[in-house]
Amino acid sequence: MMLAQSIRRTISHLSPPMCRPLSARIVDKVNIEVQPAQTGADAGAGGAVLTFPGVWLRDNCRCPACYHSSSQSRQLDWNHFDPGVHPLALHVDAAKEQLHVRWSDAHESSFELDWLRRRSFDGQSQSAYLNDFYRPRTSHWAGAQFEQIVQRFSYDQVMSEDEALQHWLKALAVYGVVLLNGAPLDEGVVRRLAERVGFIRRTTYGEEFIVQAKPGAKNYAYLSLPLPLHTDLPYYEYKPSVNLLHCVVQTQSRGGSNLLVDAYHIADRLRQEQPEHFERLSRTPVDWNDIGSEDGREFHNIWRAPVICLDADGNYTRINHSVPQRDSHFNVPLGQVLPWYESYARFVQLARGDAYSFKTQPGDVLTFNNLRLLHGRTGYDDTADNSRYIVGAYLDWDIIYSRLRVLKKRLSKASGTAAA
Ligand code: OGA
Ligand code: ZN
Ligand code: ZN
């Protein structure tokens, strides 16, 4: 008796006081409620109740018949999936932190608590996932805030260190602009950067493109004239996402400066201050176009879309703006034309007033979101001994976000913290 008591005392001294072990129950016949173990130490923190729809759990069974682990893909037979499937009995293995379920379709599944936790349906967990792992939440800025929001990274570090690569891409997603510096002055820089992330996006103008003043230029950008604020390739349905502009040679004279505007900020202002302009610019389809030839191949691109493109929740998906590349065809009812011009003129006026100007130097790579920022440049002198030479390329968001997620998982595994 004395011995048993002393053993009990020793055990309770070694392990933390267990207030409540892992448990689970069926709720309303269709949902499963999981109550993680609560110890004295984490009561109230990691111990919140998690509720999962049974149908979703059954759909996500991890057994080899339902889930193909090497391709990380569902292989459940969906031709016979019953949305009315529901749990009949539960069993928890507290030591292994697992939940076992017996289903109405005679199947059985097991789930790890940690796996369940990371897929919690509670609003806070879902918004943390959506605003970080899915796509980092954007932060909009006025031109006057440029120096506070712009981040600068060394080209060499981005090329050699995963943390620097991650910081570059994350800042690009959040602020839409990042400067890389110290790049070598060869024409392969933008390709190497794009391939460090994934791969280059090809357009009518090739993979890499050279921006320099060219006699008889067929593209407005290839003159030394001022290039008004614009987004590149608004006439593509699938518009290139991110511009990489590598300054190899910069004009020594005045001019040749970059202009940048966060058009999400301009759209925010219109939405607040002049909602009628915002409405028109987000509802009126505009014909964007580009006609020409490159390397002997003719092209005629058209894409119809508003200046401010929104998703079903009212979030910005893309901004289109280009004076030279707006078609003379305008396929809208007559009565919409003049009001649209008034709204567009206001948008352009606000953007011009907000533009931040700076001049990249040889070795700088200006990287920015072409679906969000407007960019331009001031006119410059171009002579034989004072020229300007920029090499550009594009990357797509699908490739960038994917790289960010892979980096996050890899870096958090290395540091022992959990990614999604
Ligand atoms: C372009 C462009 C910027 C620059 O070619 O579309 O925006 O600095 N160029 O010349
Ligand atoms: Zn299964
Ligand atoms: Zn451009």
Side-chain angles (χ1 to χ4, degrees):
M1 183 63 187
M2 281 291 288
L3 189 63
Q5 259 182 2
S6 82
I7 290 173
R8 232 186 341 257
R9 228 175 282 129
T10 311
I11 291 171
S12 68
H13 172 73
L14 289 175
S15 52
M18 183 72 81
C19 302
R20 201 163 45 194
L22 172 66
S23 64
R25 67 186 185 110
I26 299 170
V27 181
D28 299 333
K29 297 203 172 91
V30 292
N31 291 339
I32 296 178
E33 209 176 79
V34 178
Q35 169 75 71
Q38 277 195 334
T39 60
D42 76 355
V49 173
L50 305 161
T51 305
F52 301 101
V55 63
W56 169 83
L57 273 172
R58 176 66 191 88
D59 178 40
N60 286 287
C61 177
R62 273 0 211 184
C63 85
C66 299
Y67 185 73
H68 188 254
S69 64
S70 64
S71 67
Q72 303 191 53
S73 304
R74 183 180 290 107
Q75 62 175 0
L76 194 76
D77 178 6
W78 249 85
N79 292 321
H80 299 102
F81 187 78
D82 171 16
V85 67
H86 54 274
L88 293 181
L90 307 180
H91 167 72
V92 293
D93 185 329
K96 290 191 181 153
E97 297 211 302
Q98 284 174 345
L99 167 72
H100 302 281
V101 188
R102 190 155 59 75
W103 299 103
S104 56
D105 63 359
H107 196 69
E108 291 193 18
S109 313
S110 298
F111 301 95
E112 307 282 333
L113 177 62
D114 190 43
W115 184 94
L116 288 170
R117 245 200 202 113
R118 282 184 276 122
R119 286 157 183 79
S120 168
F121 279 76
D122 83 86
Q124 227 177 330
S125 306
Q126 291 191 335
S127 84
Y129 179 88
L130 294 177
N131 294 313
D132 182 36
F133 193 68
Y134 172 56
R135 293 181 170 201
R137 186 200 286 278
T138 57
S139 210
H140 308 171
W141 45 271
Q145 296 169 301
F146 183 84
E147 285 302 335
Q148 285 125 56
I149 64 91
V150 73
Q151 296 185 27
R152 294 177 168 85
F153 299 103
S154 111
Y155 168 83
D156 286 339
Q157 276 182 326
V158 162
M159 290 302 293
S160 60
E161 295 169 20
D162 280 354
E163 280 89 351
L165 176 62
Q166 184 187 37
H167 290 149
W168 167 38
L169 299 179
K170 175 128 194 227
L172 202 50
V174 173
Y175 299 106
V177 58
V178 176
L179 275 164
L180 305 182
N181 35 42
L185 302 182
D186 66 79
E187 295 189 354
V189 161
V190 288
R191 173 172 294 278
R192 293 201 292 281
L193 273 174
E195 289 179 356
R196 172 87 171 117
V197 179
F199 46 87
I200 232 167
R201 166 70 191 277
R202 185 174 172 176
T203 74
T204 313
Y205 294 99
E207 296 198 337
E208 296 99 329
F209 52 91
I210 310 294
V211 186
Q212 67 178 150
K214 296 173 198 168
K218 290 194 187 137
N219 186 302
Y220 202 85
Y222 304 155
L223 301 166
S224 56
L225 292 173
L227 192 55
L229 289 168
H230 64 283
T231 61
D232 283 357
L233 297 102
Y235 44 80
Y236 271 17
E237 174 171 6
Y238 182 33
K239 166 160 120 161
S241 306
V242 164
N243 305 41
L244 310 175
L245 291 179
H246 176 209
C247 176
V248 182
V249 180
Q250 184 56 281
T251 177
Q252 298 302 309
S253 54
R254 270 165 53 104
S257 293
N258 304 88
L259 301 170
L260 281 183
V261 173
D262 182 1
Y264 285 1
H265 168 72
I266 303 300
D268 288 343
R269 282 193 58 186
L270 276 181
R271 197 178 224 166
Q272 278 213 326
E273 296 164 18
Q274 291 169 301
E276 70 285 6
H277 290 324
F278 182 89
E279 284 294 303
R280 280 185 210 129
L281 294 176
S282 58
R283 283 170 197 262
T284 313
V286 176
D287 297 54
W288 308 98
N289 85 332
D290 190 32
I291 307 172
S293 65
E294 187 78 7
D295 295 335
R297 285 197 222 182
E298 285 187 276
F299 57 79
H300 189 155
N301 291 299
I302 309 175
W303 174 243
R304 265 162 63 76
V307 173
I308 301 170
C309 299
L310 303 171
D311 66 15
D313 299 324
N315 299 313
Y316 306 125
T317 55
R318 154 174 177 169
I319 302 288
N320 294 306
H321 172 48
S322 172
V323 171
Q325 286 155 341
R326 185 161 41 78
D327 209 330
S328 47
H329 291 263
F330 193 8
N331 294 292
V332 296
L334 271 178
Q336 289 183 15
V337 173
L338 177 58
W340 180 84
Y341 270 91
E342 285 165 359
S343 299
Y344 193 43
R346 179 65 182 143
F347 172 85
V348 171
Q349 182 189 43
L350 279 179
R352 208 180 45 228
D354 197 58
Y356 184 77
S357 171
F358 62 101
K359 192 166 172 177
T360 50
Q361 296 303 319
D364 290 346
V365 187
L366 171 60
T367 70
F368 60 92
N369 184 351
N370 185 50
L371 308 189
R372 165 175 173 181
L373 265 62
L374 310 180
H375 66 283
R377 91 169 166 238
T378 60
Y380 60 97
D381 293 339
D382 189 82
T383 55
D385 53 4
N386 181 26
S387 58
R388 182 175 184 271
Y389 193 87
I390 309 282
V391 184
Y394 300 107
L395 267 170
D396 277 332
W397 277 119
D398 285 328
I399 311 306
I400 300 172
Y401 285 130
S402 158
R403 185 70 153 126
L404 261 177
R405 294 183 198 117
V406 171
L407 281 169
K408 188 170 175 94
K409 277 195 282 191
R410 188 188 302 157
L411 294 171
S412 57
K413 199 177 279 176
S415 73
T417 53

